[in-house]
Amino acid sequence: MSRVLVGVKRVIDYAVKIRVKPDQSGVVTDGVKHSMNPFCEIAVEEAVKLKEKKFIKEVVAVSCGPSQVTETIRTALAMGCDRGIHVEVSGKDYEAMGPLQISKIFAALAKKEEASLVILGKQAIDDDCNQTGQMTAALLDWPQGTFASEVTIDGETVKVVREIDGGLETIKISMPAVLTADLRLNTPRYATLPNIMKAKKKKIANMKPADLGVDMVSRVEVLRVDEPPTRLAGVKVETVDDLVAKLKANGTI
Amino acid sequence: MGLMIAVVNVSIIDIVYRSQKPCLSWLLGWLSMSQIHTIGIVPLSLSPHLSPSLSLSALGLCGCRSLSSLAELPEMHQMMRQTSRDYADRELAPIAGKLDKEHLFPARQVRELGAMGVMAVEVPEALGGAGMDYLAYSLAVEEISRGCGSTGCVVSVNNSLYIGPILKFGTPEQKDQWITPFTNGEKVGCFALSEPDNGSDAGAASTLARQEGEEWVLNGTKAWISNCWDASATVVFATTDKSLKHKGISAFLVPMPHPGLSLGKKEDKLGIRATSTANLILEDCRIPLGNMLGPRGSGFKIAMQTLDGGRIGIASQALGIAQAALDCAVDYAHKRTAFGAPIGKLQAVQFKLADMAVAVESARLLTWKAAMLKDAKKTFTKEAAMAKLSASEAATFCGHQSIQVLGGMGYVTDMPAERHYRDARITEIYEGTSEIQRLVIAGQLLKEYVP
């Protein structure tokens, strides 16, 4: 009875211009358009594809956060997931929430739901941590196939082609395992209208981190958030010698 | 004498009363203090007496849409709108210029939209459609049109003009044969009412249909038929009994291609160039008796009712084009600098953008209201006409002003403003010209106010 857990994160939409809050404690999120993290979309698509190819029976979409994240779970349901789990985290806990807390939640859920695979996006576009998948695998003591650009299930093992700096690496890992999706794994489908209708009827279970025995205490404290320095105008030079001279002059070389 | 009250959300109060004026001011005070939330009102056709009356059943208890939905759409509709917008942004907007320049029918995109359910939004799932309501359809057409006005036209014609009448007036066999294959984007249909000698004057249809044994034989010419070169079937209106004038017109279903049916040359249009528009020529075109749609002589009624719904579709298309023009202008206002600052800082430009935004938003609310009334199975003729009129005029206004904001850049094909200007123009003409809409609205108003 193969079940897959897919993590979906609600993040500020990629097209939005990010603004830092005046008190420098974070970025402005009020009234700003949010959507599913693009790498999570790819993860959902892969899970639904595996289900369509009949390698797995059930796909469960999981998200952690306040009530608004149910929109993201519904989008995952509209893409083809069977049911959702909303782990309620709000207020200070939500602001301090990071990969460590999330991976603890996912590890607990993976055991509780008896999942054979946990598929996550490789990173979120808001914090760019690229840690949750790896931490989840470590907590569960499961093998991990990260930066996956191709996933093939073969019986009780998974062949993962990983995108690494040097090119592509192919590994074979046994299930249960944690996979994280990279950009070229697939092209996420558009939610079709009939599926949006069906998503309305699918269940989203509600629970708190405490129900899973997870404490949300963070060991990380955000001190300050700054905008990146404004880009200064460049200088054009005519020859390579000029370039070298200028670089020497401003101390770069 | 009872008092009917409906309170909408926070501090917006609408009160309707059936009896003579009660102590209104006291009531208003009490209501605003208690801040009663809720359900909204669905405007019904006005009663001819003292003031509008409202029945309890309309107070949202039967699931009718409420005014609060106009402020924020239900979750499913939001999701539906988002998925259509994503598709339009990623798949249609990048190619819209090319489709327009090369007059290309977006066959692949129509198939993909079909797979998403957008080509048959209102059709029940059992027949292969998405099983959603007209509001959802309106949202889909608006978002698709925002990406590409031509594709919005294809979606609208297939949904409202072709599938619409068959869904409403067809027999179960006709629905299976003529709707189901047209739900997934593989096939599209068209609607043949206008003729070279009568567009607005639809009652004077000169295309004739005579019965010969087990067949109908159609003869005549239809003009301005959108989609026809890419369609696989059409709903045709022909006169079966000339003496009955407009009550002698009947509707027929004809497959395409078909012996006796030929197409004229593709019109070279100002806008929506990715759709084909041409004459449909019927010369002894023979179809089985079972291809008549609805009862004999009900063709005019079918056409008018179909166009009522089609108006909401075209209003939505116009909204999409208007919104695209507005988006283009606002974006440019941020980026273009003149007199030492972005032109968005200049009042002259700001006033234009504000006027455009008001035009679009008010037309949008009228369109949503018409769609909601249709979904609630209330009469919506007046509202649909108002929606189409305001949306199409908003589209031409926004198209015009968008070019003005862009200045010289608005006049060249490098920017989409000129395409929106050209695409918008047809929305004031087809499916009932702006003049006809005014007649429809006036007609409804006069009916309501019987002295």
Side-chain angles (χ1 to χ4, degrees), chain B residues 96-98 100-101 269-273 321 324-325 328-329 395-396 398-404 406-425:
Chain B
K98 177 166 185 248
D100 169 75
K101 200 166 200 165
K269 305 192 292 286
L270 176 66
I272 56 161
R273 297 219 278 228
I321 298 172
C328 184
T396 46
C398 289
H400 184 112
Q401 293 302 331
S402 178
I403 292 190
Q404 199 64 16
L406 267 64
M409 280 311 287
Y411 205 63
V412 295
T413 54
D414 300 36
M415 293 293 274
E418 57 85 30
R419 192 182 78 241
H420 299 321
Y421 180 75
R422 291 184 291 105
D423 282 348
R425 198 60 192 82

Side-chain angles (χ1 to χ4, degrees), chain A residues 111-123:
Chain A
K111 286 204 207 107
K112 180 166 182 277
E113 295 284 336
E114 293 174 343
S116 343
L117 279 177
V118 175
I119 310 184
L120 305 171
K122 73 168 178 184
Q123 65 198 58

Side-chain angles (χ1 to χ4, degrees), chain B residues 13 50 78 105 157 219 230 239 242 255 299 313 332 336 350 354 409:
Chain B
I13 302 173
L50 292 159
Q78 285 188 37
F105 178 74
V157 168
N219 274 286
D230 307 291
T239 300
K242 215 168 165 96
Y332 196 76
R336 168 74 176 177
Q350 288 184 356
M409 280 311 287

Side-chain angles (χ1 to χ4, degrees), chain B residues 2-14:
Chain B
L3 203 66
M4 293 292 170
I5 304 167
V7 178
V8 178
N9 270 337
V10 195
S11 79
I12 304 170
I13 302 173
D14 255 319

Side-chain angles (χ1 to χ4, degrees), chain B residues 110-244:
Chain B
V110 167
R111 274 198 304 275
E112 287 171 358
L113 287 169
M116 283 169 68
V118 171
M119 296 305 286
V121 182
E122 228 197 344
V123 175
E125 281 188 64
L127 286 170
M132 293 186 90
D133 56 18
Y134 225 70
L135 179 60
Y137 164 62
S138 167
L139 295 166
V141 174
E142 183 186 334
E143 295 302 331
I144 299 297
S145 305
R146 191 159 159 258
C148 172
S150 305
T151 310
C153 176
V154 177
V155 173
S156 177
V157 168
N158 198 56
N159 269 283
S160 292
L161 296 186
Y162 173 70
I163 291 181
I166 308 175
L167 199 57
K168 191 148 186 212
F169 297 97
T171 63
E173 295 78 31
Q174 284 174 332
K175 286 183 196 176
D176 267 334
Q177 187 188 351
W178 300 93
I179 294 184
T180 308
F182 292 78
T183 54
N184 61 2
E186 293 290 330
K187 293 185 180 189
V188 295
C190 61
F191 179 84
L193 175 67
S194 293
E195 295 178 358
D197 286 340
N198 43 265
S200 293
D201 192 8
S206 67
T207 304
L208 296 172
R210 65 171 192 280
Q211 188 174 349
E212 264 184 24
E214 295 300 304
E215 290 178 326
W216 286 106
V217 185
L218 275 61
N219 274 286
T221 311
K222 294 293 186 183
W224 312 117
I225 310 307
S226 306
N227 266 355
C228 65
W229 274 91
D230 307 291
S232 302
T234 179
V235 178
V236 181
F237 294 85
T239 300
T240 35
D241 302 282
K242 215 168 165 96
S243 55
L244 297 173

